[in-house]
Amino acid sequence: MLTPPPLALYVHIPWCVRKCPYCDFNSHETDALPEQAYLDALIDDLKQDASLAQGRAIESIFFGGGTPSLMSGDFYRQLLNAIGDELDLTTDAEITLEANPGAVEQQRFDDYRAAGINRLSIGVQSFDPDKLAALGRIHDADEARNAVASARQAGFDNINLDLMHGLPDQTPEQALVDLEQAIDLAPTHLSWYELTIEPNTAFWSHPPTQPDPDQMADTEAAGFHRLDRAGYQRCEISAFSRDNQRCRHNLNYWEFGDYLALGAGAHGKLSSTDGEIIRYHKTRQPGDYLS
């Protein structure tokens, strides 16, 4: 490769209020966030890894989890300032924060926007109270809608909603009602994906009853048609966007771009000009990472 691919940065926040039964991500329940200690560890990690960028500018940053919206706006202000000190960012860098409706409030959104975050990905998953309970979610449908309204009030004009189908005992009609409610909120980006039962999750040990595969395929086809009618273009397997506001960070993964990794369990991938690919990850357990 004469020219390296685009470079992004992934930062992992590994804590949640509650571990969802379908989640196989590196997330850990906590009621006592070590916010300052984790900030210090991330900045140390950043300083050690900054040279890996080799002078290339960062085109996107993604704060994933876990539940990144458990951290304060000041946490992200300090971290983004440190990132700006150590790395070059493009002037139009996309900076995404994952947020859960049950773990945010209006002032937090204001603070995130002031810190420099310019895109939100809100984990709705469903608007049906029974399905939210089955998924172990801590929010309700009104909180999901209020989160979107609060995000817009804080100045966010690039918002993704995460939504699932193939949920426990979900009918096709229920899945499409969920999708319709998400479309009504007019996000710029929609991630609509099938619930997949992964190893090392509570659902793997005690599988719920899901719709049969043919039914899920029919639901998916009907949903794709509805998204197309609503003006959403499919840009990944399960991602759709309006107004050309595709998630640049996620597309970078799909298109074999490079990404630096910070935080407990974060994974990175780097290319060299001679074609060598280096993949690496940070130690997974938060306590080990902090020490």
Side-chain angles (χ1 to χ4, degrees):
M1 283 183 297
L2 297 178
T3 304
L7 181 63
L9 170 63
Y10 176 77
V11 184
H12 193 69
I13 310 297
W15 292 286
C16 286
V17 173
R18 181 192 298 167
K19 179 81 169 179
C20 296
Y22 58 85
C23 178
D24 71 334
F25 294 154
N26 183 32
S27 59
H28 306 263
E29 290 186 12
T30 185
D31 54 8
L33 280 173
E35 182 168 304
Q36 187 60 49
Y38 199 63
L39 175 64
D40 294 341
L42 285 171
I43 292 174
D44 286 345
D45 195 358
L46 167 67
K47 289 178 177 178
Q48 291 178 52
D49 278 11
S51 62
L52 296 175
Q54 296 182 319
R56 297 157 62 190
I58 302 294
E59 300 194 11
S60 65
I61 301 172
F62 197 100
F63 296 106
T67 306
S69 54
L70 292 177
M71 298 299 193
S72 69
D74 191 57
F75 173 92
Y76 290 106
R77 179 188 62 79
Q78 293 185 65
L79 182 53
L80 284 168
N81 284 343
I83 290 170
D85 289 341
E86 298 293 332
L87 299 168
D88 293 328
L89 271 66
T90 59
T91 55
D92 65 342
E94 175 192 86
I95 304 176
T96 301
L97 177 82
E98 288 185 334
N100 282 341
V104 293
E105 50 157 340
Q106 175 65 43
Q107 186 58 49
R108 279 268 169 106
F109 281 139
D110 291 336
D111 292 345
Y112 295 151
R113 191 70 190 90
I117 293 162
N118 55 32
R119 184 177 183 273
L120 287 179
S121 181
I122 301 176
V124 173
Q125 314 311 354
S126 177
F127 294 92
D128 184 305
D130 293 335
K131 301 299 178 272
L132 288 168
L135 293 173
R137 306 299 287 176
I138 62 173
H139 69 272
D140 59 29
D142 285 341
E143 286 176 312
R145 296 186 188 97
N146 290 338
V148 174
S150 295
R152 289 203 170 102
Q153 187 176 336
F156 286 97
D157 57 8
N158 195 359
I159 299 171
N160 170 66
L161 299 185
D162 270 358
L163 193 72
M164 291 196 288
H165 66 93
L167 303 181
D169 299 312
Q170 187 181 49
T171 65
E173 292 76 19
Q174 288 173 327
L176 294 173
V177 166
D178 262 354
L179 182 60
E180 197 68 47
Q181 292 183 77
I183 290 171
D184 286 345
L185 293 173
T188 50
H189 192 279
L190 247 174
S191 299
W192 189 58
Y193 53 98
E194 179 185 310
L195 171 64
T196 304
I197 308 302
E198 302 286 358
N200 302 314
T201 65
F203 274 175
W204 183 264
S205 302
H206 303 284
T209 302
Q210 291 181 271
D212 69 64
D214 287 342
Q215 193 177 59
M216 284 196 279
D218 290 343
T219 299
E220 188 174 77
F224 288 173
H225 179 65
R226 179 65 188 95
L227 285 160
D228 182 66
R229 282 174 35 227
Y232 287 92
Q233 295 84 42
R234 192 178 184 186
C235 49
E236 298 168 29
I237 295 294
S238 305
F240 305 80
S241 72
R242 269 180 174 169
D243 305 324
N244 201 33
Q245 288 186 283
R246 302 176 298 173
C247 178
R248 288 157 48 196
H249 187 90
N250 285 348
L251 280 175
N252 189 52
Y253 295 142
W254 283 94
E255 295 171 353
F256 207 57
D258 286 351
Y259 41 97
L260 300 175
L262 299 178
H267 285 240
K269 174 249 175 183
L270 293 167
S271 308
S272 65
T273 54
D274 63 4
E276 182 183 17
I277 303 297
I278 299 168
R279 295 188 181 272
Y280 66 97
H281 63 89
K282 303 301 171 67
T283 186
R284 180 179 174 87
Q285 291 296 325
D288 295 338
Y289 181 83
L290 286 170
S291 63

